[in-house]
Amino acid sequence: MPGLVIDPEQQELADLEQRISSALDKLREELEAAASDAGISAIDPDYVLRWIETARRLSVQVSNDLPTQLEPEAVAEIRKIIINLLDGLEHVDTARPLDALDRFFVQSEAMRHIIRDALDERAGLHEGDARPLIAYLKQALPRITQADQARIAGISTRHLQRLGKEGGEPPRQLVLAVRLVRLLAYVWNPEGVIAWFHRERTELDGHAPIDLMSNPGFEQVLLRLAREGRALHAA
């Protein structure tokens, strides 16, 4: 994205996501080769045990390597998935081992997407400069007026323009707006993204997200709703 760079903390997240992705690809390729050579019903039990041990080590390593910048909610969600993964690997039906291994892939992908979402929504937000954030809103919402961009950022249009030119410490709501837009822009066009901010929701007691963005107590709730919307519409 123009103006947004990955800082060292975000690189740590990106590296973890890449390690998980590469490990899953390798496990998937090995499993497919073994099943192809022996047939699904005749897959070597010893191979299954070795595969399970590799998958178990990967799960534990991910749990130990979770970066400190991950939100507590994301950490809790990932560790819940890992507990389920480890439990599933401990109770593999030897008559139908591929069922358990398939579940491992599905749950692991869910875990990877949590890390991917965290990387997407936080990239470039530790620079302490509002200019790349304003530039991102302009790039991500090309058909949306500056007035509407300023509204979700909780500032005036003039303030938005000044920060875009002169920079400075980004207001908290501007940072939140960018994090939300980064999530929403994956599944909605610019008009749909802006509509999300103004749509009243039962999960918010009939309020629209924009009504609550100035309250820090609702930040995690709004991010969770955006993540859920992204996952639902991208499925």
Side-chain angles (χ1 to χ4, degrees):
M1 296 294 180
L4 290 182
V5 298
I6 297 181
D7 65 17
E9 288 186 349
Q10 299 309 310
Q11 189 62 57
E12 188 179 4
L13 267 180
D15 290 344
L16 177 59
E17 191 270 339
Q18 183 57 49
R19 289 202 304 273
I20 294 172
S21 181
S22 298
L24 291 176
D25 286 344
K26 184 177 180 180
L27 285 171
R28 188 177 289 108
E29 290 170 3
E30 291 178 353
L31 184 59
E32 289 174 352
S36 175
D37 292 341
I40 292 177
S41 61
I43 191 168
D44 183 359
D46 289 336
Y47 168 79
V48 172
L49 291 177
R50 292 194 299 272
W51 192 99
I52 289 172
E53 181 56 32
T54 300
R56 183 184 294 113
R57 288 199 302 269
L58 172 63
S59 302
V60 172
Q61 182 182 10
V62 170
S63 180
N64 292 337
D65 291 348
L66 291 178
T68 56
Q69 70 267 29
L70 271 176
E71 300 285 353
E73 183 182 67
V75 171
E77 193 172 355
I78 290 172
R79 292 212 162 119
K80 180 180 178 180
I81 291 174
I82 290 174
I83 289 172
N84 290 334
L85 285 175
L86 294 173
D87 182 67
L89 294 173
E90 288 290 336
H91 300 89
V92 175
D93 183 350
T94 55
R96 298 175 59 86
L98 293 185
D99 289 349
L101 305 190
D102 283 342
R103 286 194 295 272
F104 172 84
F105 282 121
V106 171
Q107 292 175 313
S108 295
E109 285 294 341
M111 176 174 63
R112 187 180 71 82
H113 280 296
I114 294 171
I115 297 171
R116 181 75 252 174
D117 284 349
L119 178 62
D120 288 345
E121 70 189 63
R122 294 304 298 265
L125 298 187
H126 292 286
E127 299 177 25
D129 187 354
R131 277 176 295 189
L133 307 185
I134 301 296
Y136 172 75
L137 288 181
K138 181 178 179 180
Q139 183 271 334
L141 305 173
R143 299 184 298 274
I144 305 304
T145 66
Q146 283 191 325
D148 283 332
Q149 293 177 29
R151 191 169 297 114
I152 64 172
I155 56 181
S156 68
T157 303
R158 182 172 296 181
H159 192 186
L160 181 86
Q161 293 169 341
R162 184 168 65 251
L163 286 175
K165 292 179 180 179
E166 302 174 6
E169 188 71 21
R172 188 201 65 82
Q173 188 168 326
L174 170 60
V175 174
L176 175 59
V178 169
R179 293 179 67 183
L180 291 169
V181 169
R182 285 184 67 84
L183 288 170
L184 298 168
Y186 275 86
V187 291
W188 282 294
N189 62 22
E191 290 79 11
V193 170
I194 289 297
W196 183 91
F197 285 92
H198 296 277
R199 188 178 302 119
E200 296 178 353
R201 305 181 63 104
T202 56
E203 302 96 325
L204 302 175
D205 292 329
H207 293 286
I210 198 167
D211 299 331
L212 306 174
M213 289 179 65
S214 62
N215 187 333
F218 285 97
E219 181 170 322
Q220 291 306 314
V221 175
L222 295 174
L223 288 168
R224 175 176 56 79
L225 289 175
R227 294 185 194 111
E228 290 174 354
R230 165 172 164 160
L232 177 64
H233 289 81

